[in-house]
Amino acid sequence: MTKSKSNNKSNNFFEKFANAATKFTGSSAAFISATAIVVIWAVSGPIFHYSETWQLVINTGTTIITFLMVFLIQKAQNKDGKAIQLKLNELIAAQQGASNRMVDIEDLSEKELDQLHKFYVAIATLAKKEADIHCSHSIDVAKQLNEIKVKSNKHFKKHDNESARSKS
């Protein structure tokens, strides 16, 4: 039990540190500080006779900062991405007409996502046939609405027959 509390405290410390570092590094103060460091380094060039050590200082410093920032940025993006996914999941779950099958689709394989993409392309094609571009419906209703339209509208029947012939 002590291990989990100390592990939780270190995770909490890292989380707080990462949040503070992310907030600072994205601020105007951080940009101004970085610019000031580069200007001071450039101005100090003549003092150090533009030596290899003088060049090595800026190269090493920027390499270390860049290396650490990659991980910090990735952590921030992972957290933001997860928060956005949770918000979207909540919207899907709360919307009566929305398909709950879309919740947590980010865990599907690439092949499964491609299959869903093809399905939405088909729905977009169906939606283009509608007169009102502001009309919306759920995934499950889209095919039913299109089938009703095809049966009742000669234009849609002709269009579907032409597309069926072109696929043959």
Side-chain angles (χ1 to χ4, degrees):
M1 187 113 184
T2 316
K3 271 189 176 180
S4 66
K5 281 187 177 183
S6 67
N7 191 17
N8 194 19
K9 283 184 182 181
S10 66
N11 284 343
N12 194 21
F13 169 75
F14 178 72
E15 188 74 26
K16 287 180 182 179
F17 173 78
N19 288 340
T22 302
K23 188 175 181 179
F24 172 73
T25 55
S27 69
S28 298
F31 177 77
I32 292 168
S33 298
T35 304
I37 289 170
V38 171
V39 168
I40 291 168
W41 170 81
V43 169
S44 70
I47 298 168
F48 295 101
H49 307 289
Y50 301 102
S51 68
E52 288 182 21
T53 304
W54 173 80
Q55 292 176 19
L56 190 61
V57 166
I58 197 70
N59 289 340
T60 303
T62 55
T63 301
I64 290 169
I65 296 298
T66 302
F67 178 76
L68 295 174
M69 287 301 295
V70 166
F71 295 103
L72 190 63
I73 290 167
Q74 187 61 52
K75 180 177 180 5
Q77 286 185 334
N78 288 347
K79 183 179 178 182
D80 289 347
K82 189 179 282 187
I84 288 170
Q85 288 302 318
L86 290 169
K87 289 176 182 180
L88 291 172
N89 289 346
E90 173 63 18
L91 290 173
I92 292 168
Q95 185 66 34
Q96 186 172 354
S99 171
N100 287 338
R101 288 177 268 170
M102 294 296 110
V103 174
D104 286 339
I105 66 167
E106 62 273 6
D107 295 331
L108 296 178
S109 70
E110 194 72 30
K111 187 176 179 181
E112 292 168 322
L113 290 173
D114 289 341
Q115 184 179 0
L116 280 171
H117 176 73
K118 287 177 185 176
F119 184 72
Y120 281 105
V121 168
I123 288 179
T125 303
L126 297 174
K128 288 178 184 177
K129 295 177 183 178
E130 296 190 14
D132 182 7
I133 64 169
H134 301 292
C135 181
S136 65
H137 46 266
S138 73
I139 297 168
D140 298 324
V141 175
K143 268 193 167 175
Q144 294 171 353
L145 288 176
N146 189 61
E147 288 171 9
I148 291 168
K149 289 177 184 179
V150 167
K151 289 176 184 175
S152 65
N153 190 322
K154 291 179 184 178
H155 172 70
F156 287 140
K157 284 183 183 178
K158 183 179 178 186
H159 181 75
D160 284 347
N161 290 339
E162 288 173 2
S163 66
R165 274 189 242 132
S166 66
K167 288 181 182 177
S168 312

PDB file of all heavy atoms in Angstrom, residues 115-142:
ATOM      1  N   GLN A 115     -13.012   0.596 -42.965  1.00  0.00           N
ATOM      2  CA  GLN A 115     -14.360   0.103 -43.260  1.00  0.00           C
ATOM      3  C   GLN A 115     -15.406   1.138 -42.826  1.00  0.00           C
ATOM      4  O   GLN A 115     -16.347   1.420 -43.571  1.00  0.00           O
ATOM      5  CB  GLN A 115     -14.593  -1.221 -42.547  1.00  0.00           C
ATOM      6  CG  GLN A 115     -15.932  -1.865 -42.866  1.00  0.00           C
ATOM      7  CD  GLN A 115     -16.108  -3.196 -42.145  1.00  0.00           C
ATOM      8  OE1 GLN A 115     -15.246  -3.648 -41.410  1.00  0.00           O
ATOM      9  NE2 GLN A 115     -17.256  -3.816 -42.363  1.00  0.00           N
ATOM     10  N   LEU A 116     -15.235   1.704 -41.639  1.00  0.00           N
ATOM     11  CA  LEU A 116     -16.160   2.751 -41.183  1.00  0.00           C
ATOM     12  C   LEU A 116     -16.092   3.974 -42.091  1.00  0.00           C
ATOM     13  O   LEU A 116     -17.114   4.595 -42.400  1.00  0.00           O
ATOM     14  CB  LEU A 116     -15.847   3.162 -39.739  1.00  0.00           C
ATOM     15  CG  LEU A 116     -16.379   2.241 -38.667  1.00  0.00           C
ATOM     16  CD1 LEU A 116     -15.820   2.648 -37.306  1.00  0.00           C
ATOM     17  CD2 LEU A 116     -17.891   2.236 -38.642  1.00  0.00           C
ATOM     18  N   HIS A 117     -14.893   4.324 -42.535  1.00  0.00           N
ATOM     19  CA  HIS A 117     -14.724   5.469 -43.424  1.00  0.00           C
ATOM     20  C   HIS A 117     -15.512   5.256 -44.718  1.00  0.00           C
ATOM     21  O   HIS A 117     -16.195   6.161 -45.194  1.00  0.00           O
ATOM     22  CB  HIS A 117     -13.246   5.704 -43.725  1.00  0.00           C
ATOM     23  CG  HIS A 117     -13.007   6.813 -44.699  1.00  0.00           C
ATOM     24  ND1 HIS A 117     -13.174   8.139 -44.371  1.00  0.00           N
ATOM     25  CD2 HIS A 117     -12.642   6.785 -45.996  1.00  0.00           C
ATOM     26  CE1 HIS A 117     -12.917   8.875 -45.426  1.00  0.00           C
ATOM     27  NE2 HIS A 117     -12.593   8.076 -46.436  1.00  0.00           N
ATOM     28  N   LYS A 118     -15.421   4.054 -45.281  1.00  0.00           N
ATOM     29  CA  LYS A 118     -16.170   3.743 -46.502  1.00  0.00           C
ATOM     30  C   LYS A 118     -17.662   3.882 -46.264  1.00  0.00           C
ATOM     31  O   LYS A 118     -18.400   4.357 -47.129  1.00  0.00           O
ATOM     32  CB  LYS A 118     -15.842   2.329 -46.990  1.00  0.00           C
ATOM     33  CG  LYS A 118     -14.469   2.201 -47.594  1.00  0.00           C
ATOM     34  CD  LYS A 118     -14.170   0.763 -47.990  1.00  0.00           C
ATOM     35  CE  LYS A 118     -12.744   0.631 -48.483  1.00  0.00           C
ATOM     36  NZ  LYS A 118     -12.392  -0.778 -48.776  1.00  0.00           N
ATOM     37  N   PHE A 119     -18.114   3.461 -45.086  1.00  0.00           N
ATOM     38  CA  PHE A 119     -19.529   3.574 -44.754  1.00  0.00           C
ATOM     39  C   PHE A 119     -19.961   5.042 -44.736  1.00  0.00           C
ATOM     40  O   PHE A 119     -21.004   5.405 -45.289  1.00  0.00           O
ATOM     41  CB  PHE A 119     -19.803   2.908 -43.406  1.00  0.00           C
ATOM     42  CG  PHE A 119     -21.249   2.890 -43.024  1.00  0.00           C
ATOM     43  CD1 PHE A 119     -22.141   2.061 -43.682  1.00  0.00           C
ATOM     44  CD2 PHE A 119     -21.715   3.711 -42.015  1.00  0.00           C
ATOM     45  CE1 PHE A 119     -23.486   2.042 -43.338  1.00  0.00           C
ATOM     46  CE2 PHE A 119     -23.052   3.697 -41.669  1.00  0.00           C
ATOM     47  CZ  PHE A 119     -23.940   2.857 -42.332  1.00  0.00           C
ATOM     48  N   TYR A 120     -19.138   5.905 -44.141  1.00  0.00           N
ATOM     49  CA  TYR A 120     -19.482   7.333 -44.085  1.00  0.00           C
ATOM     50  C   TYR A 120     -19.385   8.001 -45.448  1.00  0.00           C
ATOM     51  O   TYR A 120     -20.114   8.947 -45.728  1.00  0.00           O
ATOM     52  CB  TYR A 120     -18.634   8.062 -43.037  1.00  0.00           C
ATOM     53  CG  TYR A 120     -19.162   7.819 -41.644  1.00  0.00           C
ATOM     54  CD1 TYR A 120     -18.528   6.959 -40.767  1.00  0.00           C
ATOM     55  CD2 TYR A 120     -20.330   8.432 -41.225  1.00  0.00           C
ATOM     56  CE1 TYR A 120     -19.034   6.724 -39.507  1.00  0.00           C
ATOM     57  CE2 TYR A 120     -20.843   8.197 -39.969  1.00  0.00           C
ATOM     58  CZ  TYR A 120     -20.196   7.340 -39.111  1.00  0.00           C
ATOM     59  OH  TYR A 120     -20.715   7.105 -37.877  1.00  0.00           O
ATOM     60  N   VAL A 121     -18.505   7.509 -46.282  1.00  0.00           N
ATOM     61  CA  VAL A 121     -18.454   8.016 -47.663  1.00  0.00           C
ATOM     62  C   VAL A 121     -19.763   7.679 -48.363  1.00  0.00           C
ATOM     63  O   VAL A 121     -20.326   8.512 -49.079  1.00  0.00           O
ATOM     64  CB  VAL A 121     -17.238   7.434 -48.423  1.00  0.00           C
ATOM     65  CG1 VAL A 121     -17.332   7.709 -49.907  1.00  0.00           C
ATOM     66  CG2 VAL A 121     -15.944   8.009 -47.855  1.00  0.00           C
ATOM     67  N   ALA A 122     -20.265   6.457 -48.119  1.00  0.00           N
ATOM     68  CA  ALA A 122     -21.552   6.062 -48.712  1.00  0.00           C
ATOM     69  C   ALA A 122     -22.679   6.939 -48.186  1.00  0.00           C
ATOM     70  O   ALA A 122     -23.559   7.368 -48.948  1.00  0.00           O
ATOM     71  CB  ALA A 122     -21.834   4.590 -48.410  1.00  0.00           C
ATOM     72  N   ILE A 123     -22.659   7.254 -46.905  1.00  0.00           N
ATOM     73  CA  ILE A 123     -23.692   8.133 -46.334  1.00  0.00           C
ATOM     74  C   ILE A 123     -23.581   9.534 -46.926  1.00  0.00           C
ATOM     75  O   ILE A 123     -24.595  10.174 -47.224  1.00  0.00           O
ATOM     76  CB  ILE A 123     -23.588   8.167 -44.796  1.00  0.00           C
ATOM     77  CG1 ILE A 123     -24.079   6.838 -44.231  1.00  0.00           C
ATOM     78  CG2 ILE A 123     -24.393   9.318 -44.206  1.00  0.00           C
ATOM     79  CD1 ILE A 123     -23.994   6.734 -42.741  1.00  0.00           C
ATOM     80  N   ALA A 124     -22.358  10.010 -47.115  1.00  0.00           N
ATOM     81  CA  ALA A 124     -22.173  11.334 -47.728  1.00  0.00           C
ATOM     82  C   ALA A 124     -22.733  11.344 -49.140  1.00  0.00           C
ATOM     83  O   ALA A 124     -23.356  12.322 -49.563  1.00  0.00           O
ATOM     84  CB  ALA A 124     -20.698  11.712 -47.736  1.00  0.00           C
ATOM     85  N   THR A 125     -22.545  10.251 -49.861  1.00  0.00           N
ATOM     86  CA  THR A 125     -23.102  10.135 -51.213  1.00  0.00           C
ATOM     87  C   THR A 125     -24.621  10.177 -51.158  1.00  0.00           C
ATOM     88  O   THR A 125     -25.264  10.848 -51.973  1.00  0.00           O
ATOM     89  CB  THR A 125     -22.620   8.828 -51.880  1.00  0.00           C
ATOM     90  OG1 THR A 125     -21.198   8.834 -51.886  1.00  0.00           O
ATOM     91  CG2 THR A 125     -23.147   8.700 -53.293  1.00  0.00           C
ATOM     92  N   LEU A 126     -25.195   9.476 -50.195  1.00  0.00           N
ATOM     93  CA  LEU A 126     -26.652   9.492 -50.027  1.00  0.00           C
ATOM     94  C   LEU A 126     -27.135  10.902 -49.673  1.00  0.00           C
ATOM     95  O   LEU A 126     -28.159  11.358 -50.172  1.00  0.00           O
ATOM     96  CB  LEU A 126     -27.087   8.515 -48.930  1.00  0.00           C
ATOM     97  CG  LEU A 126     -26.806   7.036 -49.173  1.00  0.00           C
ATOM     98  CD1 LEU A 126     -27.164   6.216 -47.942  1.00  0.00           C
ATOM     99  CD2 LEU A 126     -27.559   6.544 -50.385  1.00  0.00           C
ATOM    100  N   ALA A 127     -26.392  11.579 -48.819  1.00  0.00           N
ATOM    101  CA  ALA A 127     -26.792  12.918 -48.387  1.00  0.00           C
ATOM    102  C   ALA A 127     -26.772  13.912 -49.544  1.00  0.00           C
ATOM    103  O   ALA A 127     -27.571  14.849 -49.575  1.00  0.00           O
ATOM    104  CB  ALA A 127     -25.884  13.405 -47.257  1.00  0.00           C
ATOM    105  N   LYS A 128     -25.884  13.706 -50.506  1.00  0.00           N
ATOM    106  CA  LYS A 128     -25.809  14.596 -51.660  1.00  0.00           C
ATOM    107  C   LYS A 128     -27.080  14.540 -52.496  1.00  0.00           C
ATOM    108  O   LYS A 128     -27.391  15.472 -53.219  1.00  0.00           O
ATOM    109  CB  LYS A 128     -24.598  14.260 -52.527  1.00  0.00           C
ATOM    110  CG  LYS A 128     -23.288  14.654 -51.903  1.00  0.00           C
ATOM    111  CD  LYS A 128     -22.116  14.246 -52.786  1.00  0.00           C
ATOM    112  CE  LYS A 128     -20.802  14.561 -52.081  1.00  0.00           C
ATOM    113  NZ  LYS A 128     -19.653  14.114 -52.861  1.00  0.00           N
ATOM    114  N   LYS A 129     -27.817  13.436 -52.390  1.00  0.00           N
ATOM    115  CA  LYS A 129     -29.051  13.268 -53.147  1.00  0.00           C
ATOM    116  C   LYS A 129     -30.217  14.023 -52.511  1.00  0.00           C
ATOM    117  O   LYS A 129     -31.266  14.154 -53.121  1.00  0.00           O
ATOM    118  CB  LYS A 129     -29.399  11.788 -53.259  1.00  0.00           C
ATOM    119  CG  LYS A 129     -28.386  10.998 -54.049  1.00  0.00           C
ATOM    120  CD  LYS A 129     -28.745   9.523 -54.068  1.00  0.00           C
ATOM    121  CE  LYS A 129     -27.683   8.728 -54.808  1.00  0.00           C
ATOM    122  NZ  LYS A 129     -27.986   7.300 -54.795  1.00  0.00           N
ATOM    123  N   GLU A 130     -30.043  14.487 -51.288  1.00  0.00           N
ATOM    124  CA  GLU A 130     -31.121  15.182 -50.594  1.00  0.00           C
ATOM    125  C   GLU A 130     -31.182  16.634 -51.047  1.00  0.00           C
ATOM    126  O   GLU A 130     -30.178  17.266 -51.329  1.00  0.00           O
ATOM    127  CB  GLU A 130     -30.904  15.106 -49.086  1.00  0.00           C
ATOM    128  CG  GLU A 130     -30.972  13.689 -48.583  1.00  0.00           C
ATOM    129  CD  GLU A 130     -31.013  13.613 -47.074  1.00  0.00           C
ATOM    130  OE1 GLU A 130     -31.256  14.634 -46.423  1.00  0.00           O
ATOM    131  OE2 GLU A 130     -30.806  12.507 -46.559  1.00  0.00           O
ATOM    132  N   ALA A 131     -32.405  17.161 -51.065  1.00  0.00           N
ATOM    133  CA  ALA A 131     -32.611  18.540 -51.504  1.00  0.00           C
ATOM    134  C   ALA A 131     -32.158  19.534 -50.432  1.00  0.00           C
ATOM    135  O   ALA A 131     -31.640  20.594 -50.746  1.00  0.00           O
ATOM    136  CB  ALA A 131     -34.079  18.766 -51.843  1.00  0.00           C
ATOM    137  N   ASP A 132     -32.352  19.196 -49.172  1.00  0.00           N
ATOM    138  CA  ASP A 132     -32.030  20.099 -48.069  1.00  0.00           C
ATOM    139  C   ASP A 132     -30.674  19.718 -47.473  1.00  0.00           C
ATOM    140  O   ASP A 132     -30.537  18.665 -46.859  1.00  0.00           O
ATOM    141  CB  ASP A 132     -33.120  20.014 -46.996  1.00  0.00           C
ATOM    142  CG  ASP A 132     -32.883  20.957 -45.828  1.00  0.00           C
ATOM    143  OD1 ASP A 132     -31.946  21.784 -45.892  1.00  0.00           O
ATOM    144  OD2 ASP A 132     -33.651  20.879 -44.848  1.00  0.00           O
ATOM    145  N   ILE A 133     -29.659  20.573 -47.650  1.00  0.00           N
ATOM    146  CA  ILE A 133     -28.317  20.236 -47.153  1.00  0.00           C
ATOM    147  C   ILE A 133     -28.225  20.293 -45.632  1.00  0.00           C
ATOM    148  O   ILE A 133     -27.259  19.823 -45.056  1.00  0.00           O
ATOM    149  CB  ILE A 133     -27.226  21.151 -47.769  1.00  0.00           C
ATOM    150  CG1 ILE A 133     -27.437  22.602 -47.341  1.00  0.00           C
ATOM    151  CG2 ILE A 133     -27.166  21.002 -49.264  1.00  0.00           C
ATOM    152  CD1 ILE A 133     -26.274  23.498 -47.692  1.00  0.00           C
ATOM    153  N   HIS A 134     -29.222  20.872 -44.980  1.00  0.00           N
ATOM    154  CA  HIS A 134     -29.196  20.979 -43.521  1.00  0.00           C
ATOM    155  C   HIS A 134     -29.875  19.800 -42.848  1.00  0.00           C
ATOM    156  O   HIS A 134     -29.933  19.725 -41.632  1.00  0.00           O
ATOM    157  CB  HIS A 134     -29.846  22.287 -43.069  1.00  0.00           C
ATOM    158  CG  HIS A 134     -29.155  23.485 -43.639  1.00  0.00           C
ATOM    159  ND1 HIS A 134     -27.890  23.845 -43.268  1.00  0.00           N
ATOM    160  CD2 HIS A 134     -29.541  24.376 -44.583  1.00  0.00           C
ATOM    161  CE1 HIS A 134     -27.519  24.926 -43.948  1.00  0.00           C
ATOM    162  NE2 HIS A 134     -28.507  25.261 -44.757  1.00  0.00           N
ATOM    163  N   CYS A 135     -30.409  18.894 -43.630  1.00  0.00           N
ATOM    164  CA  CYS A 135     -31.089  17.720 -43.090  1.00  0.00           C
ATOM    165  C   CYS A 135     -30.044  16.755 -42.530  1.00  0.00           C
ATOM    166  O   CYS A 135     -29.040  16.489 -43.168  1.00  0.00           O
ATOM    167  CB  CYS A 135     -31.899  17.053 -44.198  1.00  0.00           C
ATOM    168  SG  CYS A 135     -32.793  15.607 -43.647  1.00  0.00           S
ATOM    169  N   SER A 136     -30.286  16.230 -41.353  1.00  0.00           N
ATOM    170  CA  SER A 136     -29.344  15.262 -40.788  1.00  0.00           C
ATOM    171  C   SER A 136     -30.118  14.100 -40.189  1.00  0.00           C
ATOM    172  O   SER A 136     -31.282  14.226 -39.827  1.00  0.00           O
ATOM    173  CB  SER A 136     -28.475  15.919 -39.717  1.00  0.00           C
ATOM    174  OG  SER A 136     -29.260  16.310 -38.631  1.00  0.00           O
ATOM    175  N   HIS A 137     -29.447  12.975 -40.079  1.00  0.00           N
ATOM    176  CA  HIS A 137     -30.067  11.784 -39.529  1.00  0.00           C
ATOM    177  C   HIS A 137     -28.963  10.850 -39.032  1.00  0.00           C
ATOM    178  O   HIS A 137     -27.799  11.058 -39.294  1.00  0.00           O
ATOM    179  CB  HIS A 137     -30.931  11.093 -40.578  1.00  0.00           C
ATOM    180  CG  HIS A 137     -30.251  10.977 -41.905  1.00  0.00           C
ATOM    181  ND1 HIS A 137     -30.417  11.909 -42.900  1.00  0.00           N
ATOM    182  CD2 HIS A 137     -29.390  10.068 -42.378  1.00  0.00           C
ATOM    183  CE1 HIS A 137     -29.690  11.560 -43.942  1.00  0.00           C
ATOM    184  NE2 HIS A 137     -29.057  10.462 -43.655  1.00  0.00           N
ATOM    185  N   SER A 138     -29.382   9.817 -38.329  1.00  0.00           N
ATOM    186  CA  SER A 138     -28.392   8.881 -37.802  1.00  0.00           C
ATOM    187  C   SER A 138     -27.923   7.938 -38.897  1.00  0.00           C
ATOM    188  O   SER A 138     -28.535   7.836 -39.964  1.00  0.00           O
ATOM    189  CB  SER A 138     -29.003   8.073 -36.649  1.00  0.00           C
ATOM    190  OG  SER A 138     -29.924   7.142 -37.152  1.00  0.00           O
ATOM    191  N   ILE A 139     -26.872   7.225 -38.609  1.00  0.00           N
ATOM    192  CA  ILE A 139     -26.311   6.272 -39.563  1.00  0.00           C
ATOM    193  C   ILE A 139     -27.344   5.214 -39.912  1.00  0.00           C
ATOM    194  O   ILE A 139     -27.518   4.857 -41.072  1.00  0.00           O
ATOM    195  CB  ILE A 139     -25.052   5.608 -38.963  1.00  0.00           C
ATOM    196  CG1 ILE A 139     -23.992   6.655 -38.717  1.00  0.00           C
ATOM    197  CG2 ILE A 139     -24.534   4.493 -39.842  1.00  0.00           C
ATOM    198  CD1 ILE A 139     -22.851   6.164 -37.873  1.00  0.00           C
ATOM    199  N   ASP A 140     -28.018   4.707 -38.890  1.00  0.00           N
ATOM    200  CA  ASP A 140     -28.979   3.630 -39.110  1.00  0.00           C
ATOM    201  C   ASP A 140     -30.167   4.068 -39.959  1.00  0.00           C
ATOM    202  O   ASP A 140     -30.737   3.269 -40.695  1.00  0.00           O
ATOM    203  CB  ASP A 140     -29.476   3.089 -37.768  1.00  0.00           C
ATOM    204  CG  ASP A 140     -28.354   2.489 -36.948  1.00  0.00           C
ATOM    205  OD1 ASP A 140     -27.446   1.886 -37.529  1.00  0.00           O
ATOM    206  OD2 ASP A 140     -28.400   2.622 -35.709  1.00  0.00           O
ATOM    207  N   VAL A 141     -30.572   5.314 -39.887  1.00  0.00           N
ATOM    208  CA  VAL A 141     -31.726   5.812 -40.615  1.00  0.00           C
ATOM    209  C   VAL A 141     -31.351   6.203 -42.045  1.00  0.00           C
ATOM    210  O   VAL A 141     -32.200   6.215 -42.934  1.00  0.00           O
ATOM    211  CB  VAL A 141     -32.339   7.026 -39.866  1.00  0.00           C
ATOM    212  CG1 VAL A 141     -33.461   7.653 -40.642  1.00  0.00           C
ATOM    213  CG2 VAL A 141     -32.827   6.588 -38.497  1.00  0.00           C
ATOM    214  N   ALA A 142     -30.087   6.488 -42.298  1.00  0.00           N
ATOM    215  CA  ALA A 142     -29.663   6.993 -43.606  1.00  0.00           C
ATOM    216  C   ALA A 142     -30.046   6.049 -44.740  1.00  0.00           C
ATOM    217  O   ALA A 142     -30.610   6.485 -45.739  1.00  0.00           O
ATOM    218  CB  ALA A 142     -28.151   7.224 -43.615  1.00  0.00           C
TER     219      ALA A 142
END
